[in-house]
Amino acid sequence: MEIKERKELEVAVDKRHIISIGERLYTESVELLRELVNNAYDADATKVHVEINPERIVVRDNGSGMDEEGLKQYFIIGSDEKVIHSRSPKFGRTRIGQFGIGKFASLAAASCFEVITQHKNFAARVIFNKKAWEKAKDRWCLPLEILEPDHQIANGTTVILSELSKSFAFEEVEKRTN
């Protein structure tokens, strides 16, 4: 047969599957939090503060934070960034994360996932609202708010999980994340 015309077919994944994959990888709620603490470790944090209450969970670190390119990289599903750069830049730690799906697994326990980060002169917030994301059908964009950096605080990242659908016992979290 002779080629009449060449076109391209787009390969797509239904957004709901990303959350489903995350839910299967992280079957226990505590594993979701461990993933966030591991991300802080990978970012050279020396301190990670975890606050748990019935309304929300806050994981705050003093790691390197992310600039705009870092945030874009953070939201790439299945990125090989941590494989290519297997050591953290400041302390040379062997990085733990691999698949980049843990943040989506958090949506199995919370309807809202917020990332606030500061790296040098860059600060930003991304709010990942599960309901809005699913309603947006084929759109894969998240709102990115560029913030004025606060030079009174150090670099770092804060992740806030809200609209919780699962409960977290602090004692269990502390035991499983140490």
Side-chain angles (χ1 to χ4, degrees):
M1 280 190 211
E2 189 175 318
I3 298 172
K4 180 179 173 182
E5 182 181 359
R6 288 191 188 271
K7 292 184 175 185
E8 291 183 347
L9 292 176
E10 186 176 323
V11 176
V13 176
D14 188 312
K15 294 189 299 189
R16 292 171 298 171
H17 294 305
I18 301 304
I19 296 168
S20 295
I21 291 167
E23 288 174 353
R24 288 185 187 120
L25 283 174
Y26 300 93
T27 54
E28 294 185 41
S29 301
V30 174
E31 293 171 352
L32 305 173
L33 296 179
R34 184 173 43 225
E35 177 71 17
L36 297 174
V37 172
N38 288 349
N39 285 345
Y41 175 87
D42 287 351
D44 285 321
T46 57
K47 293 180 184 173
V48 180
H49 175 78
V50 178
E51 173 190 324
I52 299 171
N53 66 54
E55 288 80 40
R56 67 185 199 156
I57 295 168
V58 179
V59 179
R60 180 176 296 114
D61 72 56
N62 69 345
S64 59
M66 293 176 272
D67 58 15
E68 189 168 349
E69 285 305 309
L71 268 173
K72 288 177 184 177
Q73 180 64 43
Y74 182 74
F75 283 101
I76 292 176
I77 301 162
S79 168
D80 59 358
E81 175 67 18
K82 289 185 180 180
V83 174
I84 293 169
H85 299 105
S86 62
R87 297 259 178 209
S88 66
K90 186 174 182 181
F91 296 124
R93 295 172 175 164
T94 301
R95 289 189 161 155
I96 300 168
Q98 291 180 347
F99 306 115
I101 197 101
K103 67 196 79 46
F104 297 100
S106 297
L107 295 171
S111 291
C112 192
F113 175 89
E114 182 176 353
V115 177
I116 303 165
T117 190
Q118 180 165 304
H119 176 76
K120 298 180 182 175
N121 290 321
F122 177 82
R125 174 178 36 232
V126 176
I127 300 173
F128 192 135
N129 182 295
K130 182 178 177 181
K131 294 171 191 147
W133 194 59
E134 289 172 341
K135 191 186 293 185
K137 304 278 184 216
D138 294 334
R139 227 166 149 251
W140 282 73
C141 299
L142 296 174
L144 168 64
E145 299 170 350
I146 308 298
L147 307 173
E148 196 63 44
D150 182 350
H151 297 291
Q152 303 299 315
I153 62 170
N155 292 336
T157 300
T158 300
V159 175
I160 302 167
L161 303 179
S162 58
E163 299 177 32
L164 301 177
S165 58
K166 293 186 179 180
S167 61
F168 295 79
F170 182 78
E171 297 77 22
E172 185 67 18
V173 171
E174 189 173 46
K175 183 173 76 176
R176 304 283 285 300
T177 56
N178 284 330

PDB file of all heavy atoms in Angstrom, residues 54-69:
ATOM      1  N   PRO A  54      -8.507  17.692  62.201  1.00  0.00           N
ATOM      2  CA  PRO A  54      -9.614  17.120  61.403  1.00  0.00           C
ATOM      3  C   PRO A  54      -9.923  17.872  60.105  1.00  0.00           C
ATOM      4  O   PRO A  54     -10.471  17.286  59.181  1.00  0.00           O
ATOM      5  CB  PRO A  54     -10.813  17.189  62.360  1.00  0.00           C
ATOM      6  CG  PRO A  54     -10.222  17.240  63.725  1.00  0.00           C
ATOM      7  CD  PRO A  54      -8.916  17.980  63.579  1.00  0.00           C
ATOM      8  N   GLU A  55      -9.562  19.148  60.024  1.00  0.00           N
ATOM      9  CA  GLU A  55      -9.872  19.942  58.830  1.00  0.00           C
ATOM     10  C   GLU A  55      -8.791  19.886  57.754  1.00  0.00           C
ATOM     11  O   GLU A  55      -9.077  19.988  56.575  1.00  0.00           O
ATOM     12  CB  GLU A  55     -10.107  21.422  59.197  1.00  0.00           C
ATOM     13  CG  GLU A  55     -11.394  21.684  59.929  1.00  0.00           C
ATOM     14  CD  GLU A  55     -11.279  21.342  61.413  1.00  0.00           C
ATOM     15  OE1 GLU A  55     -10.221  21.640  62.017  1.00  0.00           O
ATOM     16  OE2 GLU A  55     -12.228  20.751  61.951  1.00  0.00           O
ATOM     17  N   ARG A  56      -7.542  19.765  58.183  1.00  0.00           N
ATOM     18  CA  ARG A  56      -6.459  19.817  57.204  1.00  0.00           C
ATOM     19  C   ARG A  56      -5.167  19.246  57.753  1.00  0.00           C
ATOM     20  O   ARG A  56      -5.014  19.061  58.956  1.00  0.00           O
ATOM     21  CB  ARG A  56      -6.232  21.238  56.706  1.00  0.00           C
ATOM     22  CG  ARG A  56      -5.693  22.171  57.752  1.00  0.00           C
ATOM     23  CD  ARG A  56      -5.615  23.586  57.231  1.00  0.00           C
ATOM     24  NE  ARG A  56      -4.680  24.341  58.075  1.00  0.00           N
ATOM     25  CZ  ARG A  56      -4.037  25.396  57.697  1.00  0.00           C
ATOM     26  NH1 ARG A  56      -4.211  25.871  56.483  1.00  0.00           N
ATOM     27  NH2 ARG A  56      -3.223  26.025  58.500  1.00  0.00           N
ATOM     28  N   ILE A  57      -4.264  19.002  56.830  1.00  0.00           N
ATOM     29  CA  ILE A  57      -2.920  18.532  57.158  1.00  0.00           C
ATOM     30  C   ILE A  57      -1.949  19.487  56.483  1.00  0.00           C
ATOM     31  O   ILE A  57      -2.108  19.818  55.302  1.00  0.00           O
ATOM     32  CB  ILE A  57      -2.689  17.099  56.653  1.00  0.00           C
ATOM     33  CG1 ILE A  57      -3.619  16.153  57.412  1.00  0.00           C
ATOM     34  CG2 ILE A  57      -1.233  16.693  56.798  1.00  0.00           C
ATOM     35  CD1 ILE A  57      -3.704  14.789  56.824  1.00  0.00           C
ATOM     36  N   VAL A  58      -0.962  19.932  57.234  1.00  0.00           N
ATOM     37  CA  VAL A  58       0.044  20.840  56.697  1.00  0.00           C
ATOM     38  C   VAL A  58       1.412  20.188  56.872  1.00  0.00           C
ATOM     39  O   VAL A  58       1.767  19.755  57.970  1.00  0.00           O
ATOM     40  CB  VAL A  58       0.024  22.205  57.431  1.00  0.00           C
ATOM     41  CG1 VAL A  58       1.096  23.132  56.884  1.00  0.00           C
ATOM     42  CG2 VAL A  58      -1.358  22.844  57.347  1.00  0.00           C
ATOM     43  N   VAL A  59       2.165  20.114  55.784  1.00  0.00           N
ATOM     44  CA  VAL A  59       3.538  19.603  55.823  1.00  0.00           C
ATOM     45  C   VAL A  59       4.427  20.746  55.334  1.00  0.00           C
ATOM     46  O   VAL A  59       4.344  21.155  54.181  1.00  0.00           O
ATOM     47  CB  VAL A  59       3.718  18.353  54.929  1.00  0.00           C
ATOM     48  CG1 VAL A  59       5.159  17.868  54.970  1.00  0.00           C
ATOM     49  CG2 VAL A  59       2.757  17.253  55.354  1.00  0.00           C
ATOM     50  N   ARG A  60       5.248  21.276  56.245  1.00  0.00           N
ATOM     51  CA  ARG A  60       6.078  22.446  55.946  1.00  0.00           C
ATOM     52  C   ARG A  60       7.550  22.048  56.104  1.00  0.00           C
ATOM     53  O   ARG A  60       7.920  21.440  57.103  1.00  0.00           O
ATOM     54  CB  ARG A  60       5.720  23.567  56.914  1.00  0.00           C
ATOM     55  CG  ARG A  60       6.480  24.853  56.735  1.00  0.00           C
ATOM     56  CD  ARG A  60       5.989  25.940  57.690  1.00  0.00           C
ATOM     57  NE  ARG A  60       4.601  26.296  57.399  1.00  0.00           N
ATOM     58  CZ  ARG A  60       3.587  26.071  58.226  1.00  0.00           C
ATOM     59  NH1 ARG A  60       3.767  25.497  59.385  1.00  0.00           N
ATOM     60  NH2 ARG A  60       2.364  26.427  57.889  1.00  0.00           N
ATOM     61  N   ASP A  61       8.371  22.412  55.114  1.00  0.00           N
ATOM     62  CA  ASP A  61       9.789  22.078  55.203  1.00  0.00           C
ATOM     63  C   ASP A  61      10.667  23.295  54.940  1.00  0.00           C
ATOM     64  O   ASP A  61      10.201  24.309  54.431  1.00  0.00           O
ATOM     65  CB  ASP A  61      10.143  20.931  54.242  1.00  0.00           C
ATOM     66  CG  ASP A  61      10.138  21.322  52.777  1.00  0.00           C
ATOM     67  OD1 ASP A  61      10.856  22.270  52.397  1.00  0.00           O
ATOM     68  OD2 ASP A  61       9.436  20.667  51.996  1.00  0.00           O
ATOM     69  N   ASN A  62      11.925  23.171  55.305  1.00  0.00           N
ATOM     70  CA  ASN A  62      12.906  24.216  55.044  1.00  0.00           C
ATOM     71  C   ASN A  62      13.894  23.775  53.965  1.00  0.00           C
ATOM     72  O   ASN A  62      15.064  24.131  53.982  1.00  0.00           O
ATOM     73  CB  ASN A  62      13.644  24.611  56.330  1.00  0.00           C
ATOM     74  CG  ASN A  62      14.561  23.505  56.834  1.00  0.00           C
ATOM     75  OD1 ASN A  62      14.465  22.347  56.405  1.00  0.00           O
ATOM     76  ND2 ASN A  62      15.458  23.835  57.739  1.00  0.00           N
ATOM     77  N   GLY A  63      13.403  23.003  53.014  1.00  0.00           N
ATOM     78  CA  GLY A  63      14.245  22.537  51.912  1.00  0.00           C
ATOM     79  C   GLY A  63      14.546  23.655  50.923  1.00  0.00           C
ATOM     80  O   GLY A  63      14.355  24.832  51.219  1.00  0.00           O
ATOM     81  N   SER A  64      14.969  23.282  49.754  1.00  0.00           N
ATOM     82  CA  SER A  64      15.403  24.265  48.755  1.00  0.00           C
ATOM     83  C   SER A  64      14.256  25.037  48.127  1.00  0.00           C
ATOM     84  O   SER A  64      14.472  26.068  47.509  1.00  0.00           O
ATOM     85  CB  SER A  64      16.205  23.564  47.661  1.00  0.00           C
ATOM     86  OG  SER A  64      15.419  22.554  47.046  1.00  0.00           O
ATOM     87  N   GLY A  65      13.018  24.566  48.278  1.00  0.00           N
ATOM     88  CA  GLY A  65      11.903  25.222  47.619  1.00  0.00           C
ATOM     89  C   GLY A  65      11.995  25.003  46.116  1.00  0.00           C
ATOM     90  O   GLY A  65      12.897  24.329  45.625  1.00  0.00           O
ATOM     91  N   MET A  66      11.055  25.579  45.387  1.00  0.00           N
ATOM     92  CA  MET A  66      11.037  25.400  43.936  1.00  0.00           C
ATOM     93  C   MET A  66      10.879  26.740  43.239  1.00  0.00           C
ATOM     94  O   MET A  66      10.111  27.582  43.696  1.00  0.00           O
ATOM     95  CB  MET A  66       9.878  24.482  43.519  1.00  0.00           C
ATOM     96  CG  MET A  66      10.023  23.052  43.975  1.00  0.00           C
ATOM     97  SD  MET A  66       8.572  22.052  43.559  1.00  0.00           S
ATOM     98  CE  MET A  66       7.539  22.340  45.007  1.00  0.00           C
ATOM     99  N   ASP A  67      11.582  26.892  42.130  1.00  0.00           N
ATOM    100  CA  ASP A  67      11.332  28.022  41.251  1.00  0.00           C
ATOM    101  C   ASP A  67      10.256  27.592  40.255  1.00  0.00           C
ATOM    102  O   ASP A  67       9.695  26.492  40.377  1.00  0.00           O
ATOM    103  CB  ASP A  67      12.617  28.486  40.556  1.00  0.00           C
ATOM    104  CG  ASP A  67      13.290  27.399  39.733  1.00  0.00           C
ATOM    105  OD1 ASP A  67      12.668  26.346  39.443  1.00  0.00           O
ATOM    106  OD2 ASP A  67      14.455  27.609  39.341  1.00  0.00           O
ATOM    107  N   GLU A  68       9.948  28.417  39.263  1.00  0.00           N
ATOM    108  CA  GLU A  68       8.859  28.081  38.346  1.00  0.00           C
ATOM    109  C   GLU A  68       9.149  26.794  37.570  1.00  0.00           C
ATOM    110  O   GLU A  68       8.273  25.954  37.400  1.00  0.00           O
ATOM    111  CB  GLU A  68       8.580  29.232  37.375  1.00  0.00           C
ATOM    112  CG  GLU A  68       7.326  29.016  36.566  1.00  0.00           C
ATOM    113  CD  GLU A  68       6.866  30.244  35.816  1.00  0.00           C
ATOM    114  OE1 GLU A  68       7.385  31.353  36.060  1.00  0.00           O
ATOM    115  OE2 GLU A  68       5.952  30.097  34.984  1.00  0.00           O
ATOM    116  N   GLU A  69      10.381  26.628  37.137  1.00  0.00           N
ATOM    117  CA  GLU A  69      10.742  25.393  36.417  1.00  0.00           C
ATOM    118  C   GLU A  69      10.627  24.177  37.332  1.00  0.00           C
ATOM    119  O   GLU A  69      10.197  23.108  36.912  1.00  0.00           O
ATOM    120  CB  GLU A  69      12.144  25.493  35.815  1.00  0.00           C
ATOM    121  CG  GLU A  69      12.218  26.366  34.588  1.00  0.00           C
ATOM    122  CD  GLU A  69      11.242  25.950  33.495  1.00  0.00           C
ATOM    123  OE1 GLU A  69      11.202  24.755  33.122  1.00  0.00           O
ATOM    124  OE2 GLU A  69      10.479  26.824  33.024  1.00  0.00           O
TER     125      GLU A  69
END
